[in-house]
Amino acid sequence: MKAKTIFVCKECGNESPKWMGKCPGCGSWNTYIEEKIERTSAGAASAPLAAIREKRRAEPKSITAVSTDIEERTSSGSDELDRVLGGGVVTGSLVLCGGEPGIGKSTLLLQVCRHIANTGTVLYISGEESERQIKMRADRLGALSENILVANETDLTSINEAIASVKPKTVIIDSVQTIYNSELQSSPGSVAQVRECTMSFMRTAKDNGITFFIVGHVTKDGNIAGPRVLEHMVDCVLYFEGERHQSYRIVRAVKNRFGSTNEIGVFEMSDKGLIDVLNPSHMLLSGRPVDVPGSAVVCSIEGTRPILAEIQALVARSVYPNPKRMAEGLDNNRASIIITVLEKRTGLNLAMQDSYINVTGGIKLDEPATDLAVAAAVASSAMNVPVPQDMAFFGEVGLTGELRTVTQAARRIAEIEKMGFKRCMLPFDSLGSIDRVGIELVAVKNLKDMIAYIGNR
């Protein structure tokens, strides 16, 4: 048996015999890490490889003969998590959960165990916590059940033997970076280990109809640690967002083979675990200041649900040669474009002004419909004129200052009316998709019309 060294890109899994600054596969820089692999002779490997191929051989069939039965789903016990997953946990699926340390990943999964244990056996494998620590947390969350089996194990072979012995309905792996395959020479958490262990769990899930929840660590950039191919292998990828020092948490589906992508679920962290927030709009608007310049409310569509959020802006004279432009909860480049369009198309003097924009509540908004609210908040702060307290906004801003229509205008207006607002500013072209409303609609064609409306209060 011989060992050789290769270099693997941790973003896409591309292999190279030597280190490279830029990956030719994905174009990322400084992503190659060294891996040692063990080579075996062809004769030694041919027998087990042939057995695996014989066992997993599939006969091609006509696509018209493929069964299209609806997948079996099980409730997770949380309406918000079920919404994110597309209606519940799909039997035999592989779900990857990522987030910063202490954000609430293990807490939420243990609450899921509490509910699923009423209908089947749950196996909780932890490579980071002892069995005693898991029980202490389960006791605090009220998740003690005889059907929840716990084990502190990191060896992949032992984990597969435990799964074969217990035959659970659901398996929790916390976390995949701690699991290792003894047949590989690399250390736990390396690209090869994470890839091979996840592949093994995927085969077990599909062959036996067992649902897997896998916890993944994140890097300083917020991405799940390990090769990017890890996210391609799983059926669903959930990201936990929010600040550890705040009480609200957001779970976002960035990939879901069984439901809508970019769906979010909102939770509140308490001493009893994560509690569903059934009305996120009310939560995000609580504590909103009254008649203060620089505040505007936007209606954004997150997945399948309209959500109202407050956007705050602060514009002040800069003491630096190059003014600062910062955005929290929004794309910083998009916010800079909107500020530039405001200055160019409306005549507002923003060139020598510092501009700070923030979405309250810790939520992140990334759809173009937030443009008009951002522009209204910035203009309100620059002119020192409050936005009408009972008005909400939505609309996309173009580079010439025009307002372009966005999708699902009727649903946005219905949510705005439901939350008690009396007026809504929207693009003029969106009026054609709206039937009957109970609030005043202020349709504008460009940013000049918006400035004129706010400035004439």
Side-chain angles (χ1 to χ4, degrees), residues 47-59 160 164 200 203-204 207-208:
L49 183 60
I52 293 175
R53 289 177 176 173
E54 182 67 27
K55 179 180 179 181
R56 300 188 57 83
R57 181 176 297 167
E59 294 294 335
N160 288 333
S200 175
R203 289 196 297 264
T204 303
D207 293 344
N208 302 282

Side-chain angles (χ1 to χ4, degrees), residues 90-362:
V90 177
T91 301
S93 61
L94 191 64
V95 181
L96 176 63
C97 305
E100 296 181 356
I103 200 70
K105 304 183 297 296
S106 301
T107 298
L108 181 60
L109 292 180
L110 202 51
Q111 292 179 212
V112 172
C113 292
R114 176 183 62 190
H115 183 79
I116 297 180
N118 296 327
T119 58
T121 303
V122 179
L123 180 59
Y124 194 109
I125 304 292
S126 176
E128 301 173 345
E129 296 180 295
S130 65
E131 298 170 355
R132 181 174 178 271
Q133 289 175 310
I134 299 175
K135 182 179 180 181
M136 291 173 59
R137 183 153 46 87
D139 190 18
R140 176 173 58 85
L141 300 175
L144 295 179
S145 172
E146 294 183 355
N147 287 336
I148 299 178
L149 308 180
V150 298
N152 177 254
E153 185 58 68
T154 57
D155 182 65
L156 178 63
T157 303
S158 300
I159 293 174
N160 288 333
E161 291 176 354
I163 294 174
S165 174
V166 174
K167 295 181 175 60
K169 181 177 181 179
T170 304
V171 176
I172 311 292
I173 305 294
D174 188 7
S175 65
V176 69
Q177 277 81 12
T178 62
I179 309 302
Y180 71 93
N181 186 346
S182 58
E183 298 180 0
L184 301 178
Q185 298 300 312
S186 54
S187 60
S190 63
V191 172
Q193 289 284 4
V194 172
R195 181 178 61 242
E196 294 301 320
C197 292
T198 305
M199 182 65 72
S200 175
F201 295 142
M202 183 182 68
R203 289 196 297 264
T204 303
K206 303 306 179 184
D207 293 344
N208 302 282
I210 300 175
T211 304
F212 275 78
F213 285 90
I214 300 178
V215 176
H217 294 165
V218 296
T219 63
K220 62 180 180 180
D221 297 327
N223 298 319
I224 295 180
R228 201 69 179 179
V229 69
L230 177 63
E231 299 186 22
H232 295 283
M233 293 165 57
V234 301
D235 297 313
C236 183
V237 180
L238 305 181
Y239 272 96
F240 284 67
E241 301 174 358
E243 298 292 336
R244 286 181 293 172
H245 306 295
Q246 295 182 357
S247 59
Y248 294 109
R249 303 287 189 269
I250 296 172
V251 178
R252 185 185 302 271
V254 297
K255 173 187 177 181
N256 191 357
R257 289 173 177 163
F258 309 108
S260 172
T261 57
N262 211 32
E263 188 71 81
I264 69 169
V266 184
F267 300 86
E268 181 180 4
M269 178 65 78
S270 68
D271 57 346
K272 299 297 183 181
L274 290 169
I275 302 174
D276 292 1
V277 177
L278 301 180
N279 191 349
S281 298
H282 182 271
M283 178 268 293
L284 293 172
L285 296 180
S286 61
R288 182 183 173 217
V290 179
D291 291 331
V292 176
S295 174
V297 174
V298 63
C299 184
S300 175
I301 298 291
E302 294 293 331
T304 60
R305 174 168 56 179
I307 293 179
L308 268 64
E310 180 190 3
I311 296 179
Q312 294 183 342
L314 177 62
V315 178
R317 186 175 64 87
S318 178
V319 296
Y320 303 100
N322 297 319
K324 292 184 178 181
R325 292 179 176 179
M326 301 177 60
E328 187 70 29
L330 296 165
D331 180 63
N332 196 68
N333 294 330
R334 185 68 180 175
S336 298
I337 291 174
I338 295 174
I339 294 173
T340 305
V341 173
L342 270 173
E343 181 180 13
K344 178 70 174 180
R345 304 302 179 185
T346 66
L348 285 177
N349 183 17
L350 302 174
M352 299 307 297
Q353 307 282 332
D354 289 336
S355 300
Y356 303 93
I357 306 173
N358 177 51
V359 181
T360 61

Side-chain angles (χ1 to χ4, degrees), residues 358-380:
N358 177 51
V359 181
T360 61
I363 191 173
K364 294 182 180 180
L365 303 177
D366 57 3
E367 71 160 342
T370 60
D371 291 354
L372 182 57
V374 173
V378 172
S380 170

